[in-house]
């Protein structure tokens, strides 16, 4: 049983890991948790492919990481998760440039934005956070299959959130065309979808040695709050903490620690389809606002329905 917890950092988690020879693909790697995950994994010898939608921001992030880890093996690739054409182009480019992917960290995200739509007409949070990663993972799966089979490879980490407590996935109205848009309902629904996607991946690929993990990183001040006013932040903290949960912010290295743990923990070898927080697998909890995973987010039947819907909406084709 590890002693890792709320204040564990990326460097704590990876202290005894050697990631030499591993290729890690990280979305949203130009900012916040994704950038820190890239830094920490590169510092342990991984070759990191940093995906983002803006090459100037990616170059800045590479320079920031190299200031800390001068010999970091970093490459960048453009992928706008709000645009299926960009996702397909990224997949084709990745398959041409890289021989394999050992660890995929589906980290990018948008939170509580005003109503907006992706290039393909999906509601922005569901479209980016879930459908974009669903389509990208299908594109990258041949590379993940090429990497799997060796110890410590074949893992997919999907950044979810405790915000999944706000809402189950709405399979009847995924894009808010039939009901009034609510930024938190949308975020919660998209973050539940991230967990159900994890369950669906595990059901399909677990027996083939590819395992998937959903992660709640904690509460961390990053650019994710760009759409929030001070009042929204205060109301959110009140909502997630209620009276007795002892909410405490994490630093960015603490926040990225659970992604690094889910991607590398030896105790997770051979298992998946779970939701992790504070560098542990979290229990099912349908009451607490202080942690745990809602049972609706692990429901295999809902995971199957979401998978079918996501294939229909994106046209993504998963290898059998
Ligand atoms: N911070 C927290 O407290 C917290 C809590 C729970 C869960 N999470 C989850 O953790 C993940 C990382 O968030 P963070 O806190 O590190 O936020 P962040 O600093 O805002 O980073 C988010 C990243 O996602 C990228 N992104 C957004 N829309 C994109 C798109 N259409 N295509 C490609 N990339 C896109 C952003 O790129 P741009 O810079 O180009 O916008 C950025 O690189 C998210 O999935 C979030 O939901 C965070």
């Amino acid at each position: 049983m590890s002693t890792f917890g709320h204040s564990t950092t990326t460097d704590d988690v990876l202290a005894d890991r050697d990631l030499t020879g591993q290729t890690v693909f990280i979305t949203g790697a130009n900012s916040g948790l994704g950038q820190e995950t890239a830094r920490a994994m590169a510092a342990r010898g991984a070759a990191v492919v940093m995906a983002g939608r803006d090459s100037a921001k990616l170059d800045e992030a590479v320079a920031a990481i190299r200031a800390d880890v001068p010999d970091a093996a970093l490459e960048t690739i453009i992928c706008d998760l709000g645009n299926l054409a960009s996702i397909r182009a990224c997949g084709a480019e990745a398959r041409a440039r890289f021989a394999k992917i050992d660890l995929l960290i589906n980290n990018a995200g948008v939170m509580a934005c005003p109503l907006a739509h992706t290039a393909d007409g999906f509601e922005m949070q569901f479209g980016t956070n879930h459908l974009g990663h669903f389509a990208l993972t299908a594109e990258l799966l041949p590379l993940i299959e090429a990497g799997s089979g060796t110890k410590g490879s074949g893992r997919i980490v999907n950044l979810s959130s405790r915000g999944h407590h706000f809402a189950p996935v709405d399979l009847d109205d995924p894009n808010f065309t039939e009901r009034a848009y609510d930024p938190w309902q949308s975020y919660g629904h998209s973050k539940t979808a991230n967990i159900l996607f994890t369950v669906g991946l595990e059901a399909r690929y677990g027996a083939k040695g590819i395992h998937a993990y959903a992660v709640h990183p904690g509460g961390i001040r990053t650019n994710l709050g760009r759409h929030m006013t001070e009042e929204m932040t205060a109301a959110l903290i009140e909502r997630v903490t209620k009276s007795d949960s002892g909410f405490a912010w994490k630093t960015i290295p603490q926040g990225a620690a659970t992604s690094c743990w889910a991607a590398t923990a030896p105790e997770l070898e051979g298992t998946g389809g779970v939701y992790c927080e504070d560098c542990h697998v979290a229990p099912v909890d349908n009451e607490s606002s202080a942690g745990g995973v809602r049972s609706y987010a692990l429901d295999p039947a809902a995971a199957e329905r979401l998978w079918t819907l996501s294939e229909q909406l994106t046209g993504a084709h998963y290898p059998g």
Side-chain angles (χ1 to χ4, degrees), residues 13-31:
V13 166
L14 298 178
D16 63 355
R17 310 274 201 274
D18 179 3
L19 301 181
T20 310
Q22 300 231 12
T23 301
V24 184
F25 190 109
I26 306 175
T27 68
N30 62 278
S31 178

Side-chain angles (χ1 to χ4, degrees), residues 93-109:
E93 185 181 336
R95 292 192 300 275
R97 280 173 59 189
F98 312 117
K100 60 164 185 152
I101 292 171
D102 297 287
L103 307 172
L104 169 62
I105 317 289
N106 284 325
N107 162 86

Side-chain angles (χ1 to χ4, degrees), residues 157-178:
V157 175
N158 296 318
L159 269 280
S160 175
S161 171
R162 188 170 297 162
H164 85 275
H165 290 187
F166 299 162
V169 77
D170 189 329
L171 296 163
D172 296 323
D173 188 21
N175 290 303
F176 285 82
T177 52
E178 311 291 327

Side-chain angles (χ1 to χ4, degrees), residues 22-319:
Q22 300 231 12
T23 301
V24 184
F25 190 109
I26 306 175
T27 68
N30 62 278
S31 178
L33 306 181
Q35 181 176 325
E36 170 58 13
T37 303
R39 182 207 64 76
M41 290 194 165
R44 303 307 305 164
V48 180
V49 183
M50 299 171 61
R53 56 182 163 173
D54 181 319
S55 60
K57 285 187 190 175
L58 282 167
D59 290 347
E60 260 181 55
V62 166
I65 292 174
R66 290 236 167 90
D68 189 59
V69 186
D71 59 350
L74 306 172
E75 298 201 46
T76 62
I77 192 164
I78 293 294
C79 181
D80 182 348
L81 289 158
N83 184 326
L84 289 172
S86 172
I87 292 167
R88 290 184 196 118
C90 171
E93 185 181 336
R95 292 192 300 275
R97 280 173 59 189
F98 312 117
K100 60 164 185 152
I101 292 171
D102 297 287
L103 307 172
L104 169 62
I105 317 289
N106 284 325
N107 162 86
V110 57
M111 181 177 78
C113 56
L115 180 61
H117 295 91
T118 68
D120 306 282
F122 307 132
E123 183 279 315
M124 185 62 76
Q125 297 190 73
F126 186 68
T128 305
N129 298 350
H130 170 61
L131 292 176
H133 283 118
F134 181 87
L136 179 65
T137 303
E139 293 287 336
L140 299 181
L141 210 70
L143 290 173
I144 300 167
E145 287 180 319
S148 70
T150 51
K151 202 167 161 56
S153 295
R155 292 195 189 187
I156 300 171
V157 175
N158 296 318
L159 269 280
S160 175
S161 171
R162 188 170 297 162
H164 85 275
H165 290 187
F166 299 162
V169 77
D170 189 329
L171 296 163
D172 296 323
D173 188 21
N175 290 303
F176 285 82
T177 52
E178 311 291 327
R179 60 199 157 125
Y181 177 73
D182 177 286
W184 289 119
Q185 286 289 306
S186 166
Y187 186 65
H189 147 87
S190 76
K191 290 289 150 182
T192 295
N194 293 146
I195 307 171
L196 290 170
F197 176 40
T198 303
V199 171
L201 280 169
E202 187 67 27
R204 277 169 181 74
Y205 298 104
K208 297 179 181 172
I210 295 172
H211 297 285
Y213 308 89
V215 161
H216 168 60
I220 310 101
R221 291 188 176 91
T222 63
N223 292 327
L224 194 68
R226 71 186 83 177
H227 298 292
M228 288 175 65
T229 60
E230 285 299 316
E231 293 73 36
M232 283 172 83
T233 305
L236 175 66
I237 291 174
E238 195 182 334
R239 183 173 179 176
V240 296
T241 59
K242 296 236 171 93
S243 55
D244 59 348
S245 64
F247 174 82
W249 291 104
K250 288 186 179 184
T251 64
I252 289 177
Q254 290 169 344
T258 302
S259 298
C260 291
W261 181 78
T264 65
E267 56 265 53
L268 292 176
E269 202 69 49
T271 65
V274 292
Y275 171 92
C276 308
E277 56 190 352
D278 292 340
C279 301
H280 284 89
V281 174
V284 174
D285 191 322
N286 287 322
E287 301 296 331
S288 174
S289 59
V293 58
R294 297 296 191 244
S295 54
Y296 58 65
L298 294 175
D299 176 6
E304 283 311 298
R305 290 200 298 277
L306 176 66
W307 192 282
T308 302
L309 176 70
S310 305
E311 280 182 330
Q312 286 165 353
L313 290 173
T314 63
H317 174 68
Y318 272 79

